[in-house]
Amino acid sequence: MTEYRTVRVALLGAGSVGSQVARLLLANGDELAARVGAKLELVGIAVRDLDAKRDVDLPRDLLTTDAETLVVGADIVIELMGGIEPARTLILQAITAGADVVTGNKALLAAHGPELFDATEQVGAEIYYEAAVAAAIPIIRPLRDSLAGDNVKRILAIVNGSTNFILDRMDRFGDSMEDAQKTAFDLGFLEADPTLDVGGYDAAQKATILASLAFHSSVPADGVYREGIENITAAQIEAARAAGYVIKLLAIAERITAADGTEGISARVYPALVDREHPLAAVHGGNNAVFVEAEAAGPLMFYGAGAGGVQTASAVLGDLVSAARRHIAGGPGLGESTHADLPLLPIGDVITKYQITLRVSDLQGVLAAVASIFADGGVSVETVEQRIDPEQSGTAFLVIGTHAAREHALQATVARLDASDVVTTVVSVLRVEGV
């Protein structure tokens, strides 16, 4: 029988993901030891309530409420508590004690990533966080390692399964927003308070991580432009379908050049129109996908389950194996790469396309007046569709697709349309992405 040295592993949190990590680690210990070249000993599981009901029946003697003592005695700490505190403090304590850290805590990394990575560099430790962005989908290592010799140009990502499920229901089954959210809640895709998902906050945290990693720069979480899907209507879904699009909530990280020539990064989240021929259009249900455009490698897509206890546990255990191998081999950990130090540019510097739906008076000269507003704003019109408003006599809808333009010019044009006497209502404004 092979004799292995022991790597002590502490687990913080035993929720849906943490309990699955513990189960798999205990059940597959021999196999993992053979892969690592060391025995992975789960020395304890820190929980808030020893008697809480859990998805997995965990050994009682492993449970503890003394997280601080647990992390100080570990070689590797797996943090799956979520939230900012006490997770941040415990991770810093673990790093100070020389432990490597595996985490799936997107909120913590988005808010305090630079602080945590700096702490690891001080002691030669490393943070692994594959599970923080797209659960089972491997995207952190491909961006950090496989594409390290390439230049990433843009990332378009569906990284929130709840909102993708809702929009997909509306598109494929004709659900209203209210009905789609109810179904999502009933099936466990949505929390009782859906704000984090529906408001785009979860996706924005992940956009922060992706942008920082892809462009080797520190991206502040509060600088990410964010819109949620709360105001998406069945009429917008139908209009998108008629124009050959599907609406997806996208997290976008892109290297751009501002009007004044400044090179920088755009990180943004909003519902966008995606051509039905684009690979992201085929991402259904609660699945996630990350579409990467690289200079040499070209377009790449990573697709799979973006949530789920056992699925996310897969990514966590992959990181654990990597951390344990590095622990055995020795040497300093891989720090955060921020050498490019590109600034985060405002949404107004982005170049994109719009689809704008207007309700207008059905009178002669209205189309010419609308076209004049676009021309005055320096925005070129690509397509125009006009149809009679069935609910309001004497009015019509104009669905206008623009050519690519600066966001600030597009927003200014929409503002002038809204103030115009010939426009009754600006019904809908959606950006077009993936072109």
Side-chain angles (χ1 to χ4, degrees):
M1 182 176 178
T2 304
E3 291 292 332
Y4 293 115
R5 60 178 291 186
T6 298
V7 175
R8 294 168 57 83
V9 179
L11 174 61
L12 307 182
S16 61
V17 179
S19 60
Q20 292 296 336
V21 167
R23 177 183 70 81
L24 293 169
L25 184 54
L26 293 169
N28 302 331
D30 291 343
E31 178 66 23
L32 291 172
R35 296 176 191 176
V36 171
K39 178 184 177 182
L40 301 180
E41 180 187 0
L42 182 59
V43 296
I45 306 170
V47 295
R48 293 184 177 89
D49 182 357
L50 296 174
D51 299 315
K53 184 178 179 181
R54 296 181 173 87
D55 297 339
V56 175
D57 186 16
L58 300 174
R60 178 80 179 196
D61 61 332
L62 287 179
L63 301 180
T64 179
T65 57
D66 186 1
E68 292 189 9
T69 300
L70 185 63
V71 301
V72 171
D75 300 309
I76 300 172
V77 173
I78 303 174
E79 184 277 309
L80 297 170
M81 305 172 71
I84 303 299
E85 290 293 355
R88 170 185 162 276
T89 297
L90 290 169
I91 286 177
L92 287 172
Q93 288 175 343
I95 292 168
T96 301
D100 288 333
V101 172
V102 176
T103 181
N105 195 331
K106 56 188 175 291
L108 180 60
L109 290 171
H112 295 282
E115 175 190 15
L116 299 176
F117 287 114
D118 181 65
T120 62
E121 290 183 11
Q122 299 302 315
V123 298
E126 188 168 340
I127 296 178
Y128 300 78
Y129 53 100
E130 188 66 71
V133 172
I137 303 172
I139 187 59
I140 301 302
R141 273 187 289 267
L143 285 174
R144 187 185 63 188
D145 301 330
S146 304
L147 294 173
D150 207 336
N151 290 318
V152 174
K153 298 187 294 184
R154 179 169 64 165
I155 295 174
L156 304 172
I158 297 170
V159 288
N160 184 272
S162 301
T163 50
N164 196 63
F165 179 88
I166 291 167
L167 293 173
D168 191 49
R169 290 285 309 184
M170 295 176 72
D171 177 65
R172 291 202 291 158
F173 302 103
D175 287 10
S176 66
M177 173 62 74
E178 182 181 3
D179 289 342
Q181 286 200 42
K182 183 179 185 304
T183 301
F185 175 76
D186 291 343
L187 294 177
F189 284 103
L190 207 59
E191 300 291 337
D193 180 0
T195 305
L196 188 67
D197 295 318
V198 174
Y201 295 94
D202 173 80
Q205 292 168 349
K206 295 170 181 177
T208 301
I209 297 170
L210 288 172
S212 299
L213 188 61
F215 302 114
H216 309 284
S217 301
S218 181
V219 176
D222 58 4
V224 177
Y225 180 84
R226 179 197 54 79
E227 293 178 19
I229 67 166
E230 308 97 319
N231 298 319
I232 297 298
T233 65
Q236 287 176 309
I237 296 287
E238 180 58 38
R241 184 185 299 108
Y245 296 114
V246 62
I247 299 176
K248 297 290 187 182
L249 182 70
L250 296 183
I252 303 169
E254 185 176 18
R255 185 165 183 159
I256 66 172
T257 302
D260 64 2
T262 301
E263 295 283 338
I265 301 168
S266 168
R268 56 198 194 268
V269 169
Y270 44 61
L273 296 167
V274 177
D275 191 289
R276 286 187 178 271
E277 297 300 315
H278 193 283
L280 287 174
V283 179
H284 298 304
N287 287 317
N288 282 193
V290 182
F291 188 83
V292 180
E293 298 173 14
E295 188 176 273
L300 307 166
M301 191 163 94
F302 303 81
Y303 168 85
V310 70
Q311 293 89 343
T312 307
S314 170
V316 172
L317 287 173
D319 277 347
L320 175 60
V321 168
S322 296
R325 284 173 174 167
R326 192 197 74 78
H327 189 84
I328 296 301
L334 181 66
E336 183 186 31
S337 174
T338 57
H339 65 271
D341 198 26
L342 294 170
L344 186 62
L345 299 178
I347 185 70
D349 284 321
V350 171
I351 295 177
T352 188
K353 300 169 71 173
Y354 272 18
Q355 185 191 76
I356 305 168
T357 302
L358 307 173
R359 179 181 279 116
V360 299
S361 299
D362 189 19
L363 299 172
Q364 186 175 358
V366 167
L367 185 56
V370 169
S372 177
I373 293 173
F374 277 91
D376 291 344
V379 176
S380 176
V381 173
E382 183 177 22
T383 61
V384 178
E385 178 193 354
Q386 181 173 351
R387 61 179 186 268
I388 300 300
D389 183 354
E391 298 180 357
Q392 191 169 332
S393 177
T395 64
F397 289 112
L398 291 179
V399 181
I400 300 170
T402 74
H403 286 285
R406 294 274 178 195
E407 175 81 16
H408 63 74
L410 289 162
Q411 289 186 355
T413 298
V414 170
R416 285 192 290 269
L417 288 167
D418 193 36
S420 170
D421 292 338
V422 300
V423 175
T424 304
T425 311
V426 176
V427 178
S428 169
V429 179
L430 288 170
R431 299 169 183 86
V432 181
E433 294 289 353
V435 293

